[in-house]
């Protein structure tokens, strides 16, 4: 196995995960205009839902994945209706919403830990027997191929929704000006609720894919959230296409940054890039 091809493969896979997380995060932020920290915990919810249905109950793999994605989306929708929507109706400040989101994330992580313990778990039933492929000297697993394909499909799907559907146009209108959207007859509460469902479902799918690739734990969503936020800021906060660009860029910077040094520096490199962008280009590469 050669180092350079493997670094490229690792960067693409990491970028696909970061882009997927950033896509859902930017979708929510661009519509609701606040940092939903609870978004990260929904990745763990999706992963543990599949763990329960697939490994504990023995249900079909694909049915378990669909249920995991649906549960993550439904919980995200319920959180919006029960917590965020009343706060937004009262014109609460961004700081109040941020604290509420922090509480949501902490509560979800605690509930997952109570139900499934804090022990590290794997989703695959035949760990260690996964099919691997050789791509130009680099090694990629079957799960990582699926991660890449699903990441691309979701990105294209979101782009098509924005471009060709009334729902996508309504999301963009609310992102531009929510009050004007209400005046012209858009049901903003209904649209934002669906945005939370879709964004949370994407987070759940990301958690499921990471679970099959490396494993799950109750706090896994925090790390994914931080990388998704960094990718969003690099690419352009609130810009769904910028989040995709930032995700892949962050994946390459992280993996090539540790080429000659220890892998423990990966997070430090990511936050270093974040600081550079906050100082010199806070609006990211692609602006809204």
């Amino acid at each position: 196995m050669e180092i350079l091809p493997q670094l490229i493969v690792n960067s693409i896979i990491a970028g696909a995960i970061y882009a997927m997380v950033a896509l859902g995060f930017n979708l929510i932020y661009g519509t609701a205009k606040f940092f939903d920290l609870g978004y990260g915990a929904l990745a763990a919810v999706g992963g543990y839902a599949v763990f329960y249905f697939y490994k504990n109950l023995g249900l079909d793999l694909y049915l378990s994945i669909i249920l995991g994605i649906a549960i993550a989306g439904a919980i995200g929708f319920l959180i919006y209706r029960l917590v965020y929507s009343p706060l937004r109706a009262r014109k609460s400040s961004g700081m109040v919403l941020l604290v509420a989101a922090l509480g949501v994330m902490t509560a979800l992580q605690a509930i997952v830990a109570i139900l499934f313990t804090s022990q590290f778990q794997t989703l695959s039933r035949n760990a260690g027997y996964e099919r691997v492929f050789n791509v130009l000297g680099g090694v990629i697993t079957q799960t990582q191929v699926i991660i890449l394909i699903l990441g691309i499909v979701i990105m294209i799907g979101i782009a098509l929704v924005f471009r060709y559907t009334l729902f996508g146009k309504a999301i963009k209108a609310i992102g531009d000006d929510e009050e004007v959207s209400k005046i012209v007859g858009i049901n903003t509460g209904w649209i934002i609720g669906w945005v939370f469902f879709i964004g949370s479902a994407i987070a759940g799918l990301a958690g499921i894919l990471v679970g099959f690739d490396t494993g799950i734990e109750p706090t896994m969503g925090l790390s994914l959230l931080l990388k998704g936020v960094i990718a969003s800021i690099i690419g352009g906060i609130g810009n769904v296409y910028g989040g995709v660009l930032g995700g892949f860029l962050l994946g390459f910077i992280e993996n090539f940054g540790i080429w000659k040094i220890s892998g423990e520096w990966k997070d430090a490199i990511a936050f270093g890039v974040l600081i550079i962008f906050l100082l010199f280009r806070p609006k990211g590469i692609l602006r809204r």
Side-chain angles (χ1 to χ4, degrees), residues 233-254:
I233 293 174
I234 291 174
I237 191 71
N239 187 318
V240 292
Y241 306 111
V244 173
L245 174 62
F248 281 101
L249 182 60
L250 178 61
F252 273 89
I253 291 173
E254 273 191 351

Side-chain angles (χ1 to χ4, degrees), residues 3-19:
I3 295 297
L4 183 58
Q6 190 61 46
L7 284 174
I8 294 174
V9 170
N10 291 346
S11 300
I12 293 173
I13 299 305
I17 288 290
Y18 298 160

